[in-house]
Amino acid sequence: MSRTAFVLCSLALFAGCAAEHRVTPAPAPVVVAPAAPVVAASPGAPAVVAQQPGTGAAVVVPPTPGPLRAGLGRIESITPIPVAAAGGGTVNGATRRVGIRMDDGSVQYVDTTAAPLSVGDRVEITADGKMRHPV
């Protein structure tokens, strides 16, 4: 086999190594300070923080995520999502919330069971709601 044929066959094998995993849109993470007695609801606000009547506890209502935007991007963050277990506890699941900085500069968050993923990896979000990795 010639060197050129070997290189082309090798590239064809590597091109087939990309995996596709279904993803769902997720809201951006919300950070809440312990003392948040004020209702913050302005246009474009990332979340609504309100004090629960009678308890003084803060209640955070995250925004509803928008639709997935197809395109290429780079993983900026990966956060494990605990899964609620029977009896009110939590168990560690394989679902992760992944923050992706798209090539157009926007950031979108998706929930996925895809593995292995690393911060800095290039990914593609497809129009049919899948994440292709690696790109």
Side-chain angles (χ1 to χ4, degrees):
M1 179 184 291
S2 72
R3 180 174 168 82
T4 305
F6 177 76
V7 170
L8 290 176
C9 288
S10 298
L11 289 175
L13 286 174
F14 286 121
C17 292
E20 288 186 349
H21 298 275
R22 177 134 322 265
V23 294
T24 56
V30 176
V31 178
V32 178
V38 180
V39 174
S42 61
V48 175
V49 179
Q51 190 170 15
Q52 194 172 28
T55 65
V59 177
V60 178
V61 181
T64 304
L68 286 174
R69 295 180 315 278
L72 295 167
R74 187 170 305 277
I75 295 176
E76 283 196 337
S77 64
I78 302 172
T79 306
I81 299 176
V83 179
T90 60
V91 295
N92 289 330
T95 303
R96 294 166 192 79
R97 181 148 301 155
V98 179
I100 304 168
R101 175 146 323 260
M102 304 304 288
D103 286 350
D104 66 3
S106 65
V107 176
Q108 67 177 324
Y109 293 89
V110 297
D111 289 344
T112 183
T113 57
L117 297 173
S118 298
V119 171
D121 287 353
R122 295 278 298 164
V123 295
E124 178 183 9
I125 302 298
T126 63
D128 61 348
K130 294 182 180 174
M131 179 174 63
R132 190 171 293 142
H133 170 264
V135 176

PDB file of all heavy atoms in Angstrom, residues 42-63:
ATOM      1  N   SER A  42     -36.147  42.301  36.334  1.00  0.00           N
ATOM      2  CA  SER A  42     -36.080  43.333  35.318  1.00  0.00           C
ATOM      3  C   SER A  42     -35.990  42.665  33.967  1.00  0.00           C
ATOM      4  O   SER A  42     -35.592  41.514  33.872  1.00  0.00           O
ATOM      5  CB  SER A  42     -34.862  44.239  35.558  1.00  0.00           C
ATOM      6  OG  SER A  42     -33.682  43.479  35.483  1.00  0.00           O
ATOM      7  N   PRO A  43     -36.356  43.358  32.897  1.00  0.00           N
ATOM      8  CA  PRO A  43     -36.287  42.744  31.578  1.00  0.00           C
ATOM      9  C   PRO A  43     -34.873  42.251  31.281  1.00  0.00           C
ATOM     10  O   PRO A  43     -33.902  42.941  31.511  1.00  0.00           O
ATOM     11  CB  PRO A  43     -36.670  43.886  30.628  1.00  0.00           C
ATOM     12  CG  PRO A  43     -37.410  44.862  31.481  1.00  0.00           C
ATOM     13  CD  PRO A  43     -36.846  44.720  32.859  1.00  0.00           C
ATOM     14  N   GLY A  44     -34.778  41.014  30.819  1.00  0.00           N
ATOM     15  CA  GLY A  44     -33.488  40.441  30.491  1.00  0.00           C
ATOM     16  C   GLY A  44     -32.741  39.873  31.682  1.00  0.00           C
ATOM     17  O   GLY A  44     -31.610  39.457  31.562  1.00  0.00           O
ATOM     18  N   ALA A  45     -33.362  39.885  32.878  1.00  0.00           N
ATOM     19  CA  ALA A  45     -32.703  39.348  34.065  1.00  0.00           C
ATOM     20  C   ALA A  45     -32.540  37.849  33.928  1.00  0.00           C
ATOM     21  O   ALA A  45     -33.398  37.174  33.392  1.00  0.00           O
ATOM     22  CB  ALA A  45     -33.521  39.670  35.321  1.00  0.00           C
ATOM     23  N   PRO A  46     -31.421  37.288  34.412  1.00  0.00           N
ATOM     24  CA  PRO A  46     -31.187  35.862  34.261  1.00  0.00           C
ATOM     25  C   PRO A  46     -32.080  34.989  35.131  1.00  0.00           C
ATOM     26  O   PRO A  46     -32.317  33.861  34.816  1.00  0.00           O
ATOM     27  CB  PRO A  46     -29.723  35.704  34.659  1.00  0.00           C
ATOM     28  CG  PRO A  46     -29.435  36.875  35.510  1.00  0.00           C
ATOM     29  CD  PRO A  46     -30.315  37.979  35.018  1.00  0.00           C
ATOM     30  N   ALA A  47     -32.587  35.521  36.240  1.00  0.00           N
ATOM     31  CA  ALA A  47     -33.440  34.733  37.122  1.00  0.00           C
ATOM     32  C   ALA A  47     -34.218  35.678  38.025  1.00  0.00           C
ATOM     33  O   ALA A  47     -33.892  36.844  38.153  1.00  0.00           O
ATOM     34  CB  ALA A  47     -32.600  33.785  37.967  1.00  0.00           C
ATOM     35  N   VAL A  48     -35.247  35.139  38.670  1.00  0.00           N
ATOM     36  CA  VAL A  48     -36.011  35.908  39.638  1.00  0.00           C
ATOM     37  C   VAL A  48     -35.681  35.355  41.015  1.00  0.00           C
ATOM     38  O   VAL A  48     -35.777  34.154  41.239  1.00  0.00           O
ATOM     39  CB  VAL A  48     -37.525  35.794  39.368  1.00  0.00           C
ATOM     40  CG1 VAL A  48     -38.313  36.502  40.445  1.00  0.00           C
ATOM     41  CG2 VAL A  48     -37.865  36.349  38.001  1.00  0.00           C
ATOM     42  N   VAL A  49     -35.259  36.228  41.932  1.00  0.00           N
ATOM     43  CA  VAL A  49     -34.946  35.832  43.301  1.00  0.00           C
ATOM     44  C   VAL A  49     -35.945  36.536  44.200  1.00  0.00           C
ATOM     45  O   VAL A  49     -36.080  37.748  44.162  1.00  0.00           O
ATOM     46  CB  VAL A  49     -33.504  36.246  43.687  1.00  0.00           C
ATOM     47  CG1 VAL A  49     -33.207  35.836  45.118  1.00  0.00           C
ATOM     48  CG2 VAL A  49     -32.504  35.642  42.723  1.00  0.00           C
ATOM     49  N   ALA A  50     -36.666  35.761  44.987  1.00  0.00           N
ATOM     50  CA  ALA A  50     -37.681  36.339  45.871  1.00  0.00           C
ATOM     51  C   ALA A  50     -37.567  35.705  47.249  1.00  0.00           C
ATOM     52  O   ALA A  50     -37.109  34.580  47.393  1.00  0.00           O
ATOM     53  CB  ALA A  50     -39.068  36.097  45.303  1.00  0.00           C
ATOM     54  N   GLN A  51     -38.005  36.449  48.257  1.00  0.00           N
ATOM     55  CA  GLN A  51     -37.996  35.917  49.615  1.00  0.00           C
ATOM     56  C   GLN A  51     -39.304  35.168  49.843  1.00  0.00           C
ATOM     57  O   GLN A  51     -40.391  35.682  49.569  1.00  0.00           O
ATOM     58  CB  GLN A  51     -37.855  37.057  50.609  1.00  0.00           C
ATOM     59  CG  GLN A  51     -37.589  36.589  52.011  1.00  0.00           C
ATOM     60  CD  GLN A  51     -37.222  37.752  52.908  1.00  0.00           C
ATOM     61  OE1 GLN A  51     -37.425  38.902  52.554  1.00  0.00           O
ATOM     62  NE2 GLN A  51     -36.689  37.454  54.063  1.00  0.00           N
ATOM     63  N   GLN A  52     -39.207  33.928  50.341  1.00  0.00           N
ATOM     64  CA  GLN A  52     -40.390  33.121  50.595  1.00  0.00           C
ATOM     65  C   GLN A  52     -41.097  33.661  51.835  1.00  0.00           C
ATOM     66  O   GLN A  52     -40.478  33.829  52.884  1.00  0.00           O
ATOM     67  CB  GLN A  52     -39.982  31.667  50.791  1.00  0.00           C
ATOM     68  CG  GLN A  52     -41.127  30.703  50.729  1.00  0.00           C
ATOM     69  CD  GLN A  52     -40.613  29.270  50.723  1.00  0.00           C
ATOM     70  OE1 GLN A  52     -39.549  28.986  51.256  1.00  0.00           O
ATOM     71  NE2 GLN A  52     -41.377  28.394  50.127  1.00  0.00           N
ATOM     72  N   PRO A  53     -42.405  33.986  51.735  1.00  0.00           N
ATOM     73  CA  PRO A  53     -43.125  34.576  52.860  1.00  0.00           C
ATOM     74  C   PRO A  53     -43.083  33.695  54.110  1.00  0.00           C
ATOM     75  O   PRO A  53     -43.281  32.501  54.041  1.00  0.00           O
ATOM     76  CB  PRO A  53     -44.559  34.700  52.348  1.00  0.00           C
ATOM     77  CG  PRO A  53     -44.455  34.605  50.860  1.00  0.00           C
ATOM     78  CD  PRO A  53     -43.241  33.786  50.580  1.00  0.00           C
ATOM     79  N   GLY A  54     -42.797  34.315  55.239  1.00  0.00           N
ATOM     80  CA  GLY A  54     -42.833  33.632  56.522  1.00  0.00           C
ATOM     81  C   GLY A  54     -41.581  32.845  56.873  1.00  0.00           C
ATOM     82  O   GLY A  54     -41.397  32.489  58.023  1.00  0.00           O
ATOM     83  N   THR A  55     -40.739  32.544  55.903  1.00  0.00           N
ATOM     84  CA  THR A  55     -39.561  31.726  56.203  1.00  0.00           C
ATOM     85  C   THR A  55     -38.264  32.492  56.044  1.00  0.00           C
ATOM     86  O   THR A  55     -37.257  32.125  56.636  1.00  0.00           O
ATOM     87  CB  THR A  55     -39.491  30.495  55.283  1.00  0.00           C
ATOM     88  OG1 THR A  55     -39.293  30.933  53.943  1.00  0.00           O
ATOM     89  CG2 THR A  55     -40.728  29.648  55.379  1.00  0.00           C
ATOM     90  N   GLY A  56     -38.264  33.519  55.222  1.00  0.00           N
ATOM     91  CA  GLY A  56     -37.046  34.271  54.961  1.00  0.00           C
ATOM     92  C   GLY A  56     -36.110  33.574  53.989  1.00  0.00           C
ATOM     93  O   GLY A  56     -35.041  34.073  53.683  1.00  0.00           O
ATOM     94  N   ALA A  57     -36.511  32.380  53.499  1.00  0.00           N
ATOM     95  CA  ALA A  57     -35.657  31.643  52.563  1.00  0.00           C
ATOM     96  C   ALA A  57     -35.802  32.225  51.163  1.00  0.00           C
ATOM     97  O   ALA A  57     -36.872  32.670  50.768  1.00  0.00           O
ATOM     98  CB  ALA A  57     -36.045  30.168  52.552  1.00  0.00           C
ATOM     99  N   ALA A  58     -34.714  32.211  50.425  1.00  0.00           N
ATOM    100  CA  ALA A  58     -34.731  32.706  49.053  1.00  0.00           C
ATOM    101  C   ALA A  58     -35.213  31.607  48.114  1.00  0.00           C
ATOM    102  O   ALA A  58     -34.870  30.452  48.272  1.00  0.00           O
ATOM    103  CB  ALA A  58     -33.343  33.166  48.642  1.00  0.00           C
ATOM    104  N   VAL A  59     -36.038  31.988  47.164  1.00  0.00           N
ATOM    105  CA  VAL A  59     -36.523  31.075  46.147  1.00  0.00           C
ATOM    106  C   VAL A  59     -35.996  31.571  44.807  1.00  0.00           C
ATOM    107  O   VAL A  59     -36.173  32.737  44.465  1.00  0.00           O
ATOM    108  CB  VAL A  59     -38.073  31.040  46.116  1.00  0.00           C
ATOM    109  CG1 VAL A  59     -38.568  30.135  45.007  1.00  0.00           C
ATOM    110  CG2 VAL A  59     -38.612  30.599  47.460  1.00  0.00           C
ATOM    111  N   VAL A  60     -35.349  30.699  44.060  1.00  0.00           N
ATOM    112  CA  VAL A  60     -34.787  31.071  42.768  1.00  0.00           C
ATOM    113  C   VAL A  60     -35.577  30.361  41.678  1.00  0.00           C
ATOM    114  O   VAL A  60     -35.751  29.152  41.715  1.00  0.00           O
ATOM    115  CB  VAL A  60     -33.306  30.679  42.666  1.00  0.00           C
ATOM    116  CG1 VAL A  60     -32.752  31.018  41.298  1.00  0.00           C
ATOM    117  CG2 VAL A  60     -32.513  31.361  43.758  1.00  0.00           C
ATOM    118  N   VAL A  61     -36.050  31.134  40.713  1.00  0.00           N
ATOM    119  CA  VAL A  61     -36.771  30.577  39.576  1.00  0.00           C
ATOM    120  C   VAL A  61     -35.906  30.816  38.339  1.00  0.00           C
ATOM    121  O   VAL A  61     -35.810  31.939  37.856  1.00  0.00           O
ATOM    122  CB  VAL A  61     -38.147  31.247  39.410  1.00  0.00           C
ATOM    123  CG1 VAL A  61     -38.895  30.631  38.240  1.00  0.00           C
ATOM    124  CG2 VAL A  61     -38.945  31.142  40.695  1.00  0.00           C
ATOM    125  N   PRO A  62     -35.218  29.762  37.840  1.00  0.00           N
ATOM    126  CA  PRO A  62     -34.363  29.967  36.671  1.00  0.00           C
ATOM    127  C   PRO A  62     -35.203  30.222  35.422  1.00  0.00           C
ATOM    128  O   PRO A  62     -36.353  29.794  35.348  1.00  0.00           O
ATOM    129  CB  PRO A  62     -33.588  28.647  36.545  1.00  0.00           C
ATOM    130  CG  PRO A  62     -34.429  27.643  37.240  1.00  0.00           C
ATOM    131  CD  PRO A  62     -35.196  28.385  38.295  1.00  0.00           C
ATOM    132  N   PRO A  63     -34.639  30.930  34.456  1.00  0.00           N
ATOM    133  CA  PRO A  63     -35.376  31.191  33.229  1.00  0.00           C
ATOM    134  C   PRO A  63     -35.571  29.911  32.435  1.00  0.00           C
ATOM    135  O   PRO A  63     -34.824  28.952  32.588  1.00  0.00           O
ATOM    136  CB  PRO A  63     -34.468  32.157  32.469  1.00  0.00           C
ATOM    137  CG  PRO A  63     -33.107  31.840  32.969  1.00  0.00           C
ATOM    138  CD  PRO A  63     -33.288  31.447  34.408  1.00  0.00           C
TER     139      PRO A  63
END
